[in-house]
Amino acid sequence: MNKQPKVTAQTKQNLTDAFWSLYCEKRIEKITVKDITRKAGYNRGTFYEYFTDIYDVLEQIEESLIPSLDELPPITILNQNMGMPFDMFVKFYEQNSKYYSVLLGDNGDPSFASKLKNSIKPILKQAFSEKYDLNPIKFDFILEYVLSAMIGTMSYWFTQNKVLPLEDLITLINDLMENGVINCLSKLSNEYK
Amino acid sequence: MNKQPKVTAQTKQNLTDAFWSLYCEKRIEKITVKDITRKAGYNRGTFYEYFTDIYDVLEQIEESLIPSLDELPPITILNQNMGMPFDMFVKFYEQNSKYYSVLLGDNGDPSFASKLKNSIKPILKQAFSEKYDLNPIKFDFILEYVLSAMIGTMSYWFTQNKVLPLEDLITLINDLMENGVINCLSKLSNEYK
DNA sequence: TCTTATTGTACAACAAGTTGTCGTATATTG
DNA sequence: CAATATACGACAACTTGTTGTACAATAAGA
């Protein structure tokens, strides 16, 4: 006899959803298996049919959120405007914002930011290595710099409930990347007067 | 009768140290009070004389690591070279690297990065508001961008065991801040050939 | 200087709650 | 109707936070 994939998939999803709504409210260490199953309407033991423990739920969610290489837009896009693909990054972020803004936020998981960076690095690396011939060690630091800045700014934008229109944010970040912080500051200062 | 400040301070420190050595090894949620007191050589109950729970230990450590406004160098320093004070930041980081590299790392506490940013923002804000007249909303995003990049790069430098000499790192970051990513990339590319 | 009262410090034991497991009942499929 | 996937109930081991108690150190009086 076969399994009943529809039933189990639904149960697993219900448990995952219950976990997520709790994770949005409080730190993971304050969440009990009892909390999750009560919210989802199952026996506590059922949880262990699907997950080994509470961290397993988080890990599986995170896994589904790391962009796989093939689902990202082809690298050629990068070569068009030659800048950092912040807009591409924003789109991807917005698609998963429900999860991203929590995982990358103050009660999130710091290792998720690393996983995310590491999944994007090879793509940028390949794209830029076609154009530039770089000291690989320094290049790694530049990538870390760029991705930290992107992710940090992006998360901040979400916590601030998008006070800045998306278009303005993209323009600002591209400007910062393109011309540096100091130039950007003095330019903005002149505009504002 | 007075308290015995030396005795209690020592006990508290012993418990804090035991906690920290465990925190360096594993996630906070896997640490039990029993672990801590066994390592420090006390009864489990003693822990509760000094801390309300395990998170209290972490919070108190973090509190002691947030730079207070008065212990930071005066703002005038910023005005000299007019750049972002990355070197100042590095020095502060290195002084506390034992704690910073863990708290800002993959098993660290994401809220600590926020606290750190928020403690530095007012200083930079004041320093730059003397020189520039800026849209406050956009300026907040620029600060978030700068601090995310600094902290991210700094942490990465520690995880990579300082493969790049500190002087080179400072030069690189200043260049990225000053001239932007693209310029920096092409400049480095020419140097490398 | 010696004794005694007082209080700070650390400990042991307790109830309540959580974890992960395992055997059992129910529902679904062939 | 038989077989098995799915969900449930109960169990032992462990962790938590609290409370009452013993010991140690200090200060005052003789």
Side-chain angles (χ1 to χ4, degrees), chain A residues 86-87 164-179 184 187-188 191, chain B residues 138:
Chain A
F86 184 67
D87 45 348
L164 202 63
L166 179 56
E167 283 311 310
D168 291 8
L169 180 68
I170 293 178
T171 307
L172 180 62
I173 302 296
N174 280 332
D175 199 16
L176 284 163
M177 294 271 176
E178 191 86 27
N179 304 314
C184 186
K187 191 201 288 185
L188 282 176
E191 284 174 12
Chain B
K138 282 190 181 174

Side-chain angles (χ1 to χ4, degrees), chain A residues 75 78-79 82 84 121-136 139-140 143, chain B residues 185 189 192-193:
Chain A
I75 310 166
L78 294 186
N79 299 333
M82 276 306 307
M84 282 292 162
K121 276 180 183 176
I123 302 170
L124 293 179
K125 223 164 189 167
Q126 197 188 332
F128 282 100
S129 67
E130 288 173 4
K131 191 76 188 172
Y132 300 103
D133 190 21
L134 289 164
N135 173 340
F139 187 48
D140 278 339
L143 282 181
Chain B
L185 278 172
S189 183
Y192 192 56
K193 276 173 189 166

Side-chain angles (χ1 to χ4, degrees), chain A residues 12-52:
Chain A
K12 188 168 185 175
Q13 191 59 48
N14 291 339
L15 290 169
T16 304
D17 291 346
F19 164 82
W20 188 254
S21 73
L22 291 166
Y23 188 71
C24 291
E25 289 169 16
K26 52 184 172 184
R27 301 178 145 252
I28 191 167
E29 46 271 2
K30 297 291 178 190
I31 301 173
T32 67
V33 175
K34 203 175 178 181
D35 288 340
I36 297 173
T37 51
R38 185 170 15 145
K39 192 158 197 122
Y42 294 93
N43 180 280
R44 204 173 59 79
T46 304
F47 176 89
Y48 293 96
E49 306 283 339
Y50 295 91
F51 304 99
T52 62

Side-chain angles (χ1 to χ4, degrees), chain A residues 137-151:
Chain A
I137 292 178
K138 282 191 181 173
F139 187 48
D140 278 339
F141 278 90
I142 295 178
L143 282 181
E144 187 68 32
Y145 173 96
V146 168
L147 290 173
S148 298
M150 279 188 179
I151 291 177

Side-chain angles (χ1 to χ4, degrees), chain B residues 15-45:
Chain B
L15 291 170
T16 304
D17 290 346
F19 164 81
W20 188 253
S21 73
L22 291 167
Y23 188 71
C24 291
E25 289 169 16
K26 52 183 171 182
R27 301 178 142 250
I28 190 167
E29 46 271 1
K30 299 289 178 190
I31 300 173
T32 67
V33 176
K34 203 176 177 180
D35 288 339
I36 297 172
T37 51
R38 184 167 17 141
K39 193 158 197 121
Y42 294 94
N43 180 279
R44 205 174 57 79

Side-chain angles (χ1 to χ4, degrees), chain B residues 144-156:
Chain B
E144 186 68 33
Y145 173 97
V146 168
L147 290 172
S148 298
M150 279 186 180
I151 292 176
T153 315
M154 198 75 244
S155 299
Y156 185 68

Side-chain angles (χ1 to χ4, degrees), chain A residues 29 55 82 106 108 110-111 114 132-134 142 144 148 152 156 177-182 185-186 188-189 192, chain B residues 29 55 82 105-106 108 110-111 114 132-134 142 144 148 152 156 177-182 185-186 188-189 192:
Chain A
E29 46 271 2
Y55 294 94
M82 276 306 307
D106 272 15
S111 76
S114 294
Y132 300 103
D133 190 21
L134 289 164
I142 295 178
E144 187 68 32
S148 298
Y156 186 67
M177 294 271 176
E178 191 86 27
N179 304 314
V181 177
I182 306 296
L185 278 171
S186 55
L188 282 176
S189 183
Y192 191 57
Chain B
E29 46 271 1
Y55 294 93
M82 275 306 305
D106 272 16
S111 76
S114 293
Y132 300 102
D133 190 21
L134 290 163
I142 295 177
E144 186 68 33
S148 298
Y156 185 68
M177 295 271 175
E178 189 88 27
N179 304 314
V181 178
I182 305 296
L185 278 172
S186 55
L188 282 176
S189 183
Y192 192 56

Side-chain angles (χ1 to χ4, degrees), chain B residues 120-140:
Chain B
I120 302 176
K121 275 180 184 176
I123 302 170
L124 293 180
K125 224 164 188 167
Q126 197 188 332
F128 282 100
S129 68
E130 288 173 3
K131 190 78 188 173
Y132 300 102
D133 190 21
L134 290 163
N135 172 340
I137 293 178
K138 282 190 181 174
F139 187 49
D140 278 339

